[in-house]
Amino acid sequence: MLLAGSGHSLQEAAANAVSCHPSVSKVLVADSDRFIHPLAEPWAKLIQLVQQRENFSHIVVASGSFGKNILPRAAALLDVSPVTDVIGISESTTFVRPIYAGNALCTVRYTGAHPCMLTIRSTSFQVQPYSTDSKAHKAPISQVDLSTFEEADTIGKSQYVKLTSQDSERPDLGNSRIVVTGGRGLKSAENFKMLEKLAEKLGAAVGATRAAVDAGFVPNDLQVGQTGKIVAPELYMAFGVSGAIQHLAGMRDSKVIVAVNRDADAPIFQVNSLSLSLSLGYLMGTEIKDSSCGFILNANGYKSS
């Protein structure tokens, strides 16, 4: 496991990493102010440096904005072709990834030189439980020697300016067990606030379609879909969402999908899930029960048996 950054937070992360899972055999720590911000140039150069010294067979990062920003550049420096958005691993060089906005799955075999570089959709992999005895395992920490790190190659191409984020007490969209999403059918930012109130009641994260983001209803960091965030919550609620293939690509792995739409022919109802065709006003004020799946929804929360 490779960790990079600077100061106390990096050391704290390393201390947690050594015993986070028995599969971790070594923790590499690169301590430098160059890696405080997620700029692609220094991070890619770091991966190249570590790979040239350690000669790993595989390099894996999560398929988020951080990984997608860094891995292609690192792969170019190492002169290999990365395999992106992996949702299944058949063998050490055989992987399953979605194509055509998730409408088809493609099995690919990597035949290039080492390392095999992957971005992984973490929502497609279940966390494997392990015994409490294995928590006593502690991997050694090794400091990465940065004396030969060529900083001149990373200057002038990009520069960190600032981080702008929405302060919210709601759960993170990518990790929440419940996601409430609104689409263009809500018609206004004012109506979108109804979903925010519902999300507060359910302890849920709020998402949006690209159409809702483009209309200015919510900021773009709430976008779910092919060009937004990939989510796989236990419960996904879609209000006024027609179900374009780009949006379905970002939420089709959800365990239970509740679609609320007056258009009974909306594409989202073709997803294998529980679908309810109801008006927003009816849903917000009424308890809904479906005995076939033991699903109960009301203004105070939800439970599923």
Side-chain angles (χ1 to χ4, degrees), residues 173-191:
L173 179 58
N175 301 319
S176 179
R177 56 188 291 269
I178 310 172
V179 174
V180 178
T181 294
R184 183 165 45 192
L186 291 182
K187 297 184 178 180
S188 70
E190 190 66 27
N191 288 337

Side-chain angles (χ1 to χ4, degrees), residues 122-133:
S122 56
T123 56
S124 298
F125 295 86
Q126 297 293 327
V127 177
Q128 299 297 325
Y130 56 96
S131 65
T132 55
D133 295 338

Side-chain angles (χ1 to χ4, degrees), residues 56-87:
F56 294 111
S57 63
H58 294 70
I59 296 178
V60 183
V61 300
S63 186
S65 58
F66 178 78
K68 290 179 178 179
N69 186 35
I70 293 169
L71 195 76
R73 180 179 290 272
L77 292 174
L78 294 168
D79 197 26
V80 298
S81 178
V83 182
T84 59
D85 285 331
V86 172
I87 64 171

Side-chain angles (χ1 to χ4, degrees), residues 1 14 17-19 24-29 137-143:
M1 181 180 293
V18 295
S19 58
V24 178
S25 60
K26 179 164 56 173
V27 177
L28 301 175
V29 176
H137 160 84
K138 286 194 174 182
I141 296 178
S142 176
Q143 297 291 330

Side-chain angles (χ1 to χ4, degrees), residues 150-196:
E150 299 178 13
E151 188 175 7
D153 290 346
T154 67
I155 293 178
K157 296 179 181 178
S158 65
Q159 182 180 1
Y160 177 82
V161 177
K162 65 178 180 178
L163 172 65
T164 302
S165 61
Q166 299 290 325
D167 294 330
S168 174
E169 296 180 356
R170 286 190 294 266
D172 177 69
L173 179 58
N175 301 319
S176 179
R177 56 188 291 269
I178 310 172
V179 174
V180 178
T181 294
R184 183 165 45 192
L186 291 182
K187 297 184 178 180
S188 70
E190 190 66 27
N191 288 337
F192 221 96
K193 293 180 180 179
M194 289 195 297
L195 296 193
E196 295 175 354

Side-chain angles (χ1 to χ4, degrees), residues 3-16 28-32 143:
L3 301 177
S6 180
H8 175 72
S9 59
L10 175 63
Q11 303 307 320
E12 184 178 353
N16 292 331
L28 301 175
V29 176
D31 193 342
S32 172
Q143 297 291 330

